[in-house]
């Protein structure tokens, strides 16, 4: 236990006396472990451990002790530098970024398997990421018995594979058809997940055109080098040598060539730039050619006997292609004498042609000439293409130029996998959509209907009618891709389209029918929720939960308008995307005045489209003025490039200002490197340039350089003499130059003023090097009588342990959005990982006098709802993806919490599945498959 930790392993932190009684939580000597244990259930004997209901438990006044986790690494962490004081406990080595040094370096291994040349099963399959939201390029899986290949890894690929039980741990190669955020946005997270599998970790071969080197350079700022040692680019380059750099310009690049498949790449550049030495980074696309070996004809024993051969080893040699001498005749017997005609191996093309300029170049590529033949008049060297998967957008594939190119393939099956409107009607991620629909039925005020999902079945019959035509499609016909659609390559007798894996279409009407059947009383609960907005309450619930009768509203919410501010939780999970929760992102909607993003994990753009619809999300992205990132861990920023690229695309013909990105210094390294690949149209400000001290420098005429341990700049938490000061003195944390940042700071001040905000203040928290929280303060306004009304104050914690700086910043806040990664019984993990438990997060808000607390960033071990203690929830609410909290509805927020009990009453988390968070298994590699949502990758920092 923490309380018995040897003194020489502890670092005592000294703080100046806190001035307010609101800090009582931090003034008394305490250990977090005994505080939590007072209300935690006792462990069950191993033979009688019972599953606990996820979501709710009532506190028990009797003294109890939490079950001890079987987590061996915690004791090791304690020996290496846990810190404690009268105020709080945290993992000092993790906060300093030294915990990586403590772990043995991994030499990631690649999958090596014995290949089976005959391959009883082989197919290509559409992985429909982005087909409903059109935020990313769909992926394609090329499947063999012993090998897997994926083409493109856009945002949401891991989450998609988790949903559909596709084992990413079996993938050997990833090929990018272009190098940009649309096709590679999910690659960083995927590499981190694979690197964290098991003790040794896994690596994968990543292939792409020469632009890939820019992406690799950018990812080095937060991905271990071992995870990227097998990234390989091809094509012309100005600097580093690539595969085939000395080959003829028009020849394909052969990337894989074994007994199972040959995969070649043909570069495609826009016609306007094809005559230039090299295209602009990000413009080069690729046509991938996948060729399976031919199938030998059937051996005829009768012919062999007629040629004087005895049954025996010579039969096998003939079947393997060797000639043999006849046993009874003076002749040589050749394979063609005894074998039937061979069957040509199937050929598949994957074509990414992003613009009509690329399509014009497509018509003149010599390397494709041998694939245009018709089987009826084919000559030696000609190849028959069986299937072409078009990743090109509909605007290109429908153009006359592209159509004329498609007609050159006489009998090929064309699968149009670019973004098409028909796929928007039904969600690809059904598990999370089902939860959202249920929450919408219970409380549409906080859970609006999805922006693009049709609630009716009307369009379903239309789509099914059009799809039924495709069931009998023959080669040469064009069909639209569907999620998990297959084209079978082996066995040869099944060659063609296979729709058996296409999931049934999910409508919100169907979800609600299922809900009413499962929980009939939910309809009456929905009516009770409606009455909450009319001031009518359920008396029985008021008796059970007396705190629900609270009527005090802070003055800043007086006559608040609905178009003042709304908080939209786009991602409420931690570590990596799961079936039910995406990773961190909070959208602060200031309506006509603009908007701000607080953190931007992978898939944030897709979440915006699920919330607002395609057009609404584009408008939301256009209105983004500022994006604030808390720290460099991948689950908080890997969606940033996609959002910025989309904003640049939407505003390219409109006068506008670049987006302002505020983040930790290492983030700038990533963005600077990435912008060599793709213009992000943004300006960067270090979080340390937006502390209260840095803002004060705007009032001075000669701002001075302020070091990270300067007085006031980082607060008492990191002041001189504190053991925490070393965190901000590392080489990655250079001296803050407020003079050079001053122009950007002034611009941010102007933008904030235009949005009706008075302050955006970053403050350091305890998690990892350069981790921050943020305060947003609205400007004062006047009521009808002309009296001044103070502006609301919203605080976002990022990832942190409870600490005085967090309480100080949250003091008097209207809303505190605080991470609550772990349940109360797992305080040991919370300390070791520098995260907070639910009780700790609530205590921070209570000590600071916060009006409303929203909990977020839940461990993915809680698939639908976290474990909480109802007695602590008097001013607190649990966050869900797609939850939209208008400032005008804050008074109702905690009153909705008891109704979650009804909605999630059948959700169970088994303690046995919580064991061994750091002991990775194949289920993690498979994207946290189904029942193992609690497993997280040790490399995917959170």
């Amino acid at each position: 236990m923490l309380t018995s930790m040897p003194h020489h392993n502890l670092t005592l932190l000294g703080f100046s006396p806190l001035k307010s009684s609101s800090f009582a939580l931090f003034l008394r000597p305490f250990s977090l472990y005994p505080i939590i244990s007072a209300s935690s259930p006792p462990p069950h004997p191993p033979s009688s451990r019972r599953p606990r209901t996820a979501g709710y438990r009532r506190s028990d006044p009797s003294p109890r002790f939490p079950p001890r986790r079987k987590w061996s690494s915690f004791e090791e962490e304690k020996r290496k530098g846990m810190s404690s004081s009268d105020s709080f406990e945290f993992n000092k080595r993790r906060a300093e970024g030294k915990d990586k040094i403590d772990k043995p370096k991994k030499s990631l291994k690649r999958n090596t398997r014995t290949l089976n040349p005959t391959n009883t099963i082989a197919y290509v399959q559409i992985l429909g990421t982005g087909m409903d939201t059109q935020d990313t390029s769909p992926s394609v899986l090329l499947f063999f018995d012993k090998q897997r290949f994926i083409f493109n890894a856009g945002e949401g690929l891991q989450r998609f594979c988790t949903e559909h039980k596709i084992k990413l741990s079996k993938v050997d190669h990833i090929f990018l058809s272009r190098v940009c955020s649309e096709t590679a946005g999910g690659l960083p997270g995927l590499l981190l997940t694979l690197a964290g599998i098991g003790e040794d970790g896994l690596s994968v071969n990543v292939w792409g055109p020469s632009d890939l080197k820019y992406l690799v350079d950018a990812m080095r700022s937060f991905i271990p080098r071992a995870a990227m040692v097998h990234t390989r680019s091809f094509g012309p380059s100005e600097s580093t040598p690539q595969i085939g750099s000395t080959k003829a310009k028009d020849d394909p690049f052969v990337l894989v060539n074994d007994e199972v498949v040959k995969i070649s790449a043909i570069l495609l550049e826009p016609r306007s730039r094809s005559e230039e030495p090299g295209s602009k980074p990000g413009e080069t696309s690729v046509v991938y050619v996948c060729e399976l070996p031919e199938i030998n004809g059937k051996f005829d024993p009768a012919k062999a006997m007629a040629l004087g051969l005895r049954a025996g080893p010579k039969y096998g040699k003939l079947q393997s292609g060797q000639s043999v001498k006849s046993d009874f005749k003076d002749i040589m017997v050749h394979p063609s004498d005894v074998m039937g005609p061979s069957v040509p191996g199937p050929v598949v093309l994957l074509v990414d042609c992003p613009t009509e300029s690329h399509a014009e170049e497509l018509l003149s590529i010599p390397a494709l000439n041998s694939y245009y033949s018709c089987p009826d008049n084919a000559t030696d060297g000609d190849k028959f293409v069986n299937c072409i998967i078009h990743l090109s957008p509909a605007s290109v594939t429908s153009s006359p130029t592209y159509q004329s190119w498609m007609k050159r393939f006489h009998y090929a099956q064309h699968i149009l996998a670019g973004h098409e409107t028909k796929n928007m009607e039904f969600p690809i991620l059904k598990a999370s959509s089902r939860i959202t629909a249920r929450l919408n039925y219970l409380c549409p005020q906080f859970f609006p209907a999805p922006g693009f999902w049709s609630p009716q079945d009307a369009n379903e019959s239309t789509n099914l009618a059009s799809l039924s035509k495709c069931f009998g499609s023959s080669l040469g016909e064009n069909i639209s891709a569907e999620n998990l659609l297959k084209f079978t390559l082996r066995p040869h007798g099944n060659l063609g389209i296979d729709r058996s894996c296409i999931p049934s279409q999910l409508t919100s009407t169907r979800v609600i029918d299922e809900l009413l059947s499962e929980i009939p009383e939910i309809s009456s609960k929905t009516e009770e929720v409606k009455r909450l907005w009319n001031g009518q309450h359920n008396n029985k619930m008021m008796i059970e939960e007396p705190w629900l009768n609270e009527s005090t509203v802070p003055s800043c919410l007086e006559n608040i308008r609905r178009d003042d501010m709304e908080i939209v939780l786009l991602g409420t999970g931690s570590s990596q995307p799961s079936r039910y929760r995406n990773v961190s992102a909070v959208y602060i909607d200031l309506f006509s005045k603009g908007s701000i993003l607080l953190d931007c994990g992978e898939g944030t753009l897709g979440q915006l489209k699920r919330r607002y619809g395609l057009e609404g999300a584009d408008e939301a992205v256009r209105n983004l003025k500022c994006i604030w990132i808390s720290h460099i861990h991948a689950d908080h920023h890997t969606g940033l490039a996609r959002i910025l690229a989309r904003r640049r695309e939407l505003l390219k013909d409109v006068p506008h200002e670049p987006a302002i990105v505020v983040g930790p210094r290492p983030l700038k390294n990533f963005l600077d490197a990435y912008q060599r690949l793709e213009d992000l149209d943004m300006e960067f400000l270090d979080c340390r340039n937006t502390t209260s001290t840095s803002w004060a420098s705007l009032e001075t005429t000669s701002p001075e350089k302020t070091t990270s341990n300067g007085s006031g700049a980082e607060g008492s938490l990191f002041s001189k003499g504190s053991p925490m000061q070393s965190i901000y003195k590392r080489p990655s944390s250079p001296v803050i130059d407020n003079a050079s940042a001053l122009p950007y700071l002034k611009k941010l001040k102007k933008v904030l003023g235009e949005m009706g905000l008075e302050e955006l203040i970053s403050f350091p928290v305890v998690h990892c090097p350069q981790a921050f929280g943020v305060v947003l303060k609205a400007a004062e306004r006047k009521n009808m009588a002309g009296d001044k009304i103070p502006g609301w104050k919203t605080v976002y914690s990022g990832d942190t342990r409870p600490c005085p700086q967090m309480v100080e910043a949250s003091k008097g806040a209207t809303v505190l959005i605080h991470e609550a990664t772990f349940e109360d019984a797992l305080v040991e993990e919370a300390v070791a990982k520098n995260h907070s438990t639910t009780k700790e997060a609530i205590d921070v808000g209570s000590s600071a006098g916060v009006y409303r607390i929203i909990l977020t960033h839940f461990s993915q071990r809680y698939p639908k709802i976290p474990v909480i203690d109802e007695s602590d929830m008097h001013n607190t609410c649990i966050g869900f993806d797609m939850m939209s909290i208008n400032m005008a509805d804050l008074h109702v927020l905690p009153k909705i919490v008891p109704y979650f009990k009804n909605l999630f009453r059948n959700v169970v988390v088994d303690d046995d599945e919580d064991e061994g968070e750091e002991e990775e298994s194949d289920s993690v590699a498979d994207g946290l498959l189904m029942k193992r949502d609690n497993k997280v990758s040790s490399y995917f920092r959170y």
Side-chain angles (χ1 to χ4, degrees):
M1 293 178 61
L2 292 173
T3 52
S4 61
M5 200 179 299
H7 290 291
H8 64 271
N9 285 335
L10 296 178
T11 302
L12 298 179
L13 303 188
F15 297 97
S16 58
L18 301 173
K19 299 179 181 179
S20 171
S21 60
S22 65
F23 298 102
L25 169 68
F26 297 101
L27 284 175
R28 64 180 185 273
F30 77 105
S31 169
L32 291 175
Y33 197 82
I35 284 180
I36 300 301
S37 67
S39 60
S40 300
H44 298 288
S47 60
S48 62
R49 291 190 66 183
R50 297 174 298 176
R52 68 181 186 277
T53 301
Y56 298 91
R57 64 166 179 262
R58 289 195 177 274
S59 58
D60 192 322
S62 61
R64 295 183 173 186
F65 299 92
R68 190 62 186 270
R69 296 271 299 166
K70 297 176 182 178
W71 195 51
S72 59
S73 62
F74 180 71
E75 294 297 330
E76 182 179 351
E77 293 281 3
K78 288 202 296 183
R79 291 194 300 270
K80 288 180 177 176
M82 293 296 181
S83 290
S84 176
S85 74
D86 288 347
S87 300
F88 72 109
E89 290 170 302
F90 67 101
N91 183 342
K92 184 171 183 288
R93 292 191 67 79
R94 181 174 174 85
E96 293 176 333
K98 295 179 180 178
D99 56 330
K100 298 179 185 178
I101 304 173
D102 301 333
K103 299 177 182 178
K105 287 190 175 181
K106 292 186 177 184
S107 179
L108 305 182
K109 63 179 182 180
R110 284 182 295 173
N111 290 323
T112 55
R113 306 182 184 93
T114 302
L115 301 181
N116 177 11
T118 59
N119 269 303
T120 56
I121 299 176
Y123 56 81
V124 286
Q125 185 173 32
I126 304 296
L127 307 184
T129 53
M131 290 178 69
D132 52 350
T133 53
Q134 301 188 7
D135 63 304
T136 190
S137 173
S139 298
V140 177
L141 171 68
L142 176 59
F143 179 97
F144 295 97
D145 290 341
K146 299 292 184 179
Q147 278 187 307
R148 312 283 192 276
F149 305 89
I150 280 185
F151 297 84
N152 288 344
E155 290 188 2
L157 177 61
Q158 280 193 87
R159 195 178 188 194
F160 175 90
C161 292
T162 300
E163 176 101 3
H164 298 288
K165 303 183 184 180
I166 295 170
K167 295 187 175 182
L168 289 172
S169 61
K170 306 296 184 183
V171 173
D172 303 278
H173 300 263
I174 297 174
F175 300 90
L176 301 179
S177 62
R178 280 177 290 135
V179 186
C180 60
S181 58
E182 184 181 359
T183 60
L187 185 60
L190 178 57
L191 292 177
L192 286 166
T193 297
L194 292 175
I197 295 173
E199 293 183 1
D200 297 325
L202 291 176
S203 183
V204 66
N205 295 290
V206 181
W207 304 84
S210 57
D211 304 337
L212 179 62
K213 65 179 180 293
Y214 298 122
L215 178 61
V216 171
D217 288 344
M219 291 192 298
R220 284 198 177 106
S221 62
F222 64 96
I223 293 182
R225 183 177 295 273
M228 298 188 294
V229 294
H230 303 298
T231 54
R232 306 179 184 182
S233 58
F234 50 85
S237 172
E238 298 176 0
S239 54
T240 57
Q242 274 93 15
I243 293 172
S245 58
T246 60
K247 59 182 281 301
K249 177 180 182 293
D250 297 327
D251 292 341
F253 297 90
V254 179
L255 310 180
V256 176
N257 191 7
D258 54 34
E259 56 263 53
V260 170
V261 66
K262 176 183 176 182
I263 299 179
S264 307
I266 301 171
L267 294 181
L268 185 61
E269 298 178 358
R271 171 58 63 91
S272 58
R273 295 185 177 271
S274 60
E275 303 300 326
E276 299 178 10
S279 62
K280 183 180 177 182
E283 288 190 343
T284 300
S285 64
V286 182
V287 176
Y288 286 105
V289 182
C290 307
E291 303 174 69
L292 276 65
E294 67 177 14
I295 301 174
N296 293 330
K298 188 175 181 180
F299 178 76
D300 190 339
K303 288 184 178 181
M305 292 177 65
L307 293 171
L309 285 173
R310 284 194 298 259
K314 290 183 179 181
Y315 279 19
K317 291 183 178 181
L318 286 167
Q319 292 180 63
S320 65
Q322 302 178 49
S323 298
V324 298
K325 184 173 177 60
S326 173
D327 295 314
F328 299 109
K329 296 182 180 181
D330 189 19
I331 59 174
M332 290 296 294
V333 181
H334 303 287
S336 58
D337 298 330
V338 295
M339 302 290 291
S342 61
V343 179
V347 178
V348 177
L349 300 186
L350 291 98
V351 184
D352 188 353
C353 190
T355 68
E356 289 196 39
S357 295
H358 288 82
E360 293 173 5
E361 181 67 13
L362 193 61
L363 289 170
S364 60
I365 293 180
L368 288 172
N369 289 341
S370 61
Y371 298 96
Y372 294 141
S373 61
C374 174
D376 299 332
N377 56 9
T379 60
D380 288 344
D382 287 345
K383 300 168 184 177
F384 174 51
V385 177
N386 301 87
C387 176
I388 305 177
I389 299 176
H390 302 269
L391 301 175
S392 316
S395 59
V396 174
T397 56
S398 61
S399 68
T401 303
Y402 200 90
Q403 288 286 314
S404 65
W405 179 78
M406 291 173 64
K407 289 177 182 177
R408 295 184 179 185
F409 301 91
H410 300 277
Y411 292 99
Q413 176 71 71
H414 295 278
I415 301 177
L416 304 176
H419 295 150
E420 296 194 12
T421 306
K422 67 178 282 298
N423 289 308
M424 290 170 47
E425 293 293 335
F426 305 99
I428 299 299
L429 302 176
K430 294 167 65 173
S432 59
S433 298
R434 181 177 275 107
I435 292 292
T436 301
R438 289 179 165 220
L439 288 165
N440 168 252
Y441 179 80
L442 175 67
C443 181
Q445 295 86 353
F446 286 135
F447 302 94
F452 66 87
W453 189 12
S454 174
Q456 304 299 328
D457 297 299
N459 293 331
E460 185 172 14
S461 59
T462 303
N463 279 327
L464 290 176
S466 63
L467 295 177
S468 63
K469 176 183 176 183
C470 299
F471 266 82
S473 61
S474 58
L475 292 181
E477 185 176 353
N478 303 344
I479 66 170
S480 294
E482 298 172 71
N483 186 26
L484 300 184
L485 174 73
K486 287 182 181 179
F487 186 92
T488 301
L489 305 173
R490 294 275 198 266
H492 183 73
N494 295 337
L495 184 73
I497 293 293
D498 176 6
R499 288 185 166 81
S500 61
C501 292
I502 296 175
S504 60
Q505 294 173 332
L506 183 69
T507 64
S508 57
T509 303
R510 175 180 152 195
V511 172
I512 300 310
D513 290 342
E514 292 173 354
L515 174 62
L516 293 173
S517 175
E518 177 188 339
I519 311 174
E521 66 272 22
I522 200 68
S523 58
S524 63
K525 299 300 180 183
T526 300
E527 293 303 316
E528 291 179 16
V529 169
K530 289 179 182 178
R531 290 195 291 270
L532 293 177
W533 268 261
N534 300 325
Q536 304 173 18
H537 306 298
N538 182 326
N539 292 331
K540 181 180 178 181
M541 188 164 289
M542 291 303 131
I543 294 173
E544 293 179 352
E545 314 289 355
W547 48 266
L548 292 177
N549 209 22
E550 176 201 32
S551 58
T552 305
V553 176
S555 59
C556 64
L557 298 180
E558 179 186 339
N559 297 325
I560 194 81
R561 294 164 53 98
R562 299 201 67 84
D563 62 354
D564 191 289
M565 194 270 265
E566 187 166 87
I567 299 169
V568 181
L569 304 179
L570 299 175
T572 56
S574 68
S575 179
Q576 62 193 74
S578 73
R579 298 179 69 214
Y580 300 104
R581 294 181 185 271
N582 204 51
V583 286
S584 298
V586 180
Y587 183 71
I588 305 296
D589 190 357
L590 300 169
F591 298 93
S592 61
K593 299 188 289 290
S595 59
I596 297 177
L597 256 180
L598 306 179
D599 279 335
C600 188
E602 178 188 331
T604 295
L605 179 59
Q607 293 291 87
L608 277 172
K609 296 199 174 192
R610 292 180 182 94
R611 168 62 181 86
Y612 292 108
L614 300 193
E615 294 183 2
D618 283 348
E619 187 61 26
V621 173
R622 286 189 194 96
N623 287 340
L624 268 176
K625 308 298 182 187
C626 176
I627 302 176
W628 184 91
I629 304 297
S630 61
H631 61 292
I632 196 61
H633 285 170
D635 57 329
H636 291 259
H637 76 86
T638 48
L640 180 57
R642 186 77 191 102
I643 285 278
L644 291 172
R646 182 59 180 164
R647 183 180 184 273
R648 181 211 68 231
E649 182 182 347
L650 291 170
L651 296 175
K652 62 183 177 182
D653 297 323
V654 179
H656 67 280
E657 293 292 331
I660 299 176
V661 175
V662 181
R665 181 76 180 187
L667 181 64
K668 186 177 189 300
N669 301 334
F670 166 71
L671 294 173
D672 287 347
Y674 189 90
Q675 287 204 107
R676 298 178 64 193
L677 173 66
E678 194 173 13
D679 179 23
L680 299 180
D681 189 27
M682 65 91 197
E683 295 174 340
F684 184 84
L685 256 179
D686 193 320
C687 278
R688 291 171 299 166
N689 292 126
T690 60
T691 61
S692 55
T693 301
S694 295
W695 282 113
S697 69
L698 277 176
E699 308 300 324
T700 64
T701 55
S702 56
E704 300 176 352
K705 292 183 179 181
T706 307
T707 60
S708 57
N709 62 338
S711 61
E714 308 298 343
S716 60
L717 185 59
F718 302 94
S719 60
K720 185 175 181 180
S722 165
M724 289 292 287
Q725 71 170 326
S726 61
I727 294 174
Y728 285 84
K729 293 177 67 176
R730 296 175 61 79
S732 61
S733 305
V735 172
I736 306 170
D737 187 354
N738 280 336
S740 61
L742 198 57
Y744 299 107
L745 205 57
K746 288 181 177 179
K747 182 175 180 180
L748 176 60
K749 184 72 173 178
K750 177 176 178 290
V751 169
L752 293 175
E754 293 170 351
M755 291 191 291
L757 298 179
E758 189 176 274
E759 294 178 344
L760 182 155
I761 298 177
S762 302
F763 58 93
V765 295
V766 179
H767 179 59
C768 66
Q770 299 198 53
F772 293 87
V774 68
V775 175
L776 296 177
K777 181 76 165 60
E780 290 182 342
R781 53 192 176 89
K782 293 184 178 181
N783 60 16
M784 299 293 291
D787 298 326
K788 288 185 178 181
I789 300 176
W792 48 259
K793 176 181 177 180
T794 297
V795 180
Y796 173 58
S797 69
D799 287 4
T800 185
R801 285 291 297 145
C803 58
Q805 197 81 349
M806 190 69 234
V807 176
E808 181 68 39
S810 304
K811 193 173 180 182
T814 316
V815 179
L816 168 62
I817 306 170
H818 201 294
E819 71 116 296
T821 310
F822 294 103
E823 62 181 284
D824 299 341
L826 303 184
V827 67
E828 290 183 347
E829 278 93 333
V831 172
K833 295 285 188 180
N834 281 344
H835 281 294
S836 302
T837 67
T838 53
K839 179 66 162 58
E840 289 172 339
I842 294 170
D843 284 345
V844 167
S846 299
S847 298
V850 171
Y851 176 59
R852 291 291 181 256
I853 304 168
I854 302 170
L855 302 180
T856 186
H857 196 267
F858 302 110
S859 169
Q860 303 292 15
R861 77 185 66 215
Y862 315 115
K864 296 180 182 178
I865 189 169
V867 177
I868 60 171
D869 189 332
E870 279 184 89
S871 63
D872 299 323
M873 301 296 289
H874 66 280
N875 67 338
T876 305
C877 188
I878 304 165
F880 293 88
D881 285 17
M882 304 296 125
M883 190 175 190
S884 301
I885 305 161
N886 195 285
M887 294 296 279
D889 296 330
L890 282 181
H891 64 290
V892 184
L893 188 60
K895 300 176 184 177
I896 195 67
V897 174
Y899 293 95
F900 293 150
K901 285 189 296 186
N902 302 98
L903 197 62
F904 296 101
R905 67 182 186 185
N906 297 326
V907 177
V908 172
V909 176
D910 191 341
D911 277 333
D912 290 332
E913 288 195 352
D914 287 347
E915 301 299 337
E917 181 179 341
E918 295 298 320
E919 298 171 8
E920 302 303 336
S921 66
D922 282 343
S923 62
V924 185
D926 302 340
L928 305 177
L929 282 180
M930 298 295 287
K931 297 180 181 179
R932 302 305 299 270
D933 281 346
N934 59 294
K935 299 285 187 178
V936 293
S937 165
S938 60
Y939 250 121
F940 207 122
R941 307 301 301 280
Y942 68 105

